Amino acid sequence: MMVSNNFSWQRLIQQAEGLLSVTSNRISNAANLSALLYQELADVSWVGFYFLDGETLMVGPFQGKPACVSIKLGEGVCGTAAVTGETIRVADVETFDGHIVCDAEARSEVVVPLFKKEQLLGVLDVDSTRLDRFGPDDEAGLTALARVYLSSVV
Ligand code: SME
């Protein structure tokens, strides 16, 4: 994993727990978690949230370049993770059928679906311009952070 030597998922998770304990507001905590991840994760070009609005995922707080505003359920990596309820880790976005290009330079991606009391809230999406940037440890770390986020919000 190409991250700085003292990077630790455990420490990042603890930082997130502190940061998100101040409020249970979904938008505020999504904004601060996006900022924390964008700052702490190496080689990440975009990190943010899409929230469910009817049958569509609408972009929420994020860090990085301006992004696609809406994604239909079932479309792209985000819409697929949302309907399957499974985290999707894509080593090479060109091999994912239906991948939605928001940034032509993005090469790999992880999307974690967010369910609160069995209701789909949205997804957490992390992108990199580096091919195969995310490994199983990143998937596990992001899944743990998604749980921290979900338990912090109402
Ligand atoms: N690539 C995503 C779209 C969201 S952006 O990457 C920010 C997808 O295929 O769902």
Side-chain angles (χ1 to χ4, degrees), residues 89-152:
R89 182 157 53 92
V90 184
D92 177 355
V93 295
E94 285 179 15
T95 66
F96 188 94
D97 199 21
H99 169 257
I100 298 166
V101 180
C102 295
D103 174 2
E105 288 178 27
R107 287 288 169 270
S108 56
E109 175 163 11
V110 179
V111 179
V112 184
L114 303 169
F115 285 85
K116 179 91 183 165
K117 293 177 191 152
E118 291 171 23
Q119 299 272 21
L120 178 67
L121 205 70
V123 300
L124 170 63
D125 181 14
V126 185
D127 294 358
S128 176
T129 56
R130 184 149 69 79
L131 208 58
D132 203 10
R133 157 66 182 83
F134 305 101
D137 50 348
D138 298 302
E139 181 175 334
L142 291 170
T143 302
L145 284 165
R147 274 199 298 271
V148 173
Y149 173 75
L150 285 164
S151 54
S152 76

Side-chain angles (χ1 to χ4, degrees), residues 9-132:
W9 277 109
Q10 199 188 350
R11 190 170 54 85
L12 187 55
I13 290 161
Q14 281 167 359
Q15 272 179 281
E17 283 168 349
L19 192 64
L20 305 191
S21 66
V22 180
T23 178
S24 54
N25 183 285
R26 286 179 190 187
I27 303 297
S28 305
N29 282 348
N32 260 343
L33 185 57
S34 301
L36 179 71
L37 292 180
Y38 192 71
Q39 182 174 282
E40 295 297 322
L41 297 178
D43 295 333
V44 158
S45 53
W46 197 92
V47 47
F49 287 74
Y50 281 86
F51 287 121
L52 186 65
D53 182 1
E55 294 290 297
T56 307
L57 295 167
M58 299 297 295
V59 74
F62 69 92
Q63 299 277 310
K65 288 185 191 166
C68 309
V69 172
S70 63
I71 298 173
K72 289 198 174 67
L73 285 180
E75 292 187 355
V77 187
C78 290
T80 305
V83 295
T84 60
E86 303 283 343
T87 294
I88 303 180
R89 182 157 53 92
V90 184
D92 177 355
V93 295
E94 285 179 15
T95 66
F96 188 94
D97 199 21
H99 169 257
I100 298 166
V101 180
C102 295
D103 174 2
E105 288 178 27
R107 287 288 169 270
S108 56
E109 175 163 11
V110 179
V111 179
V112 184
L114 303 169
F115 285 85
K116 179 91 183 165
K117 293 177 191 152
E118 291 171 23
Q119 299 272 21
L120 178 67
L121 205 70
V123 300
L124 170 63
D125 181 14
V126 185
D127 294 358
S128 176
T129 56
R130 184 149 69 79
L131 208 58
D132 203 10

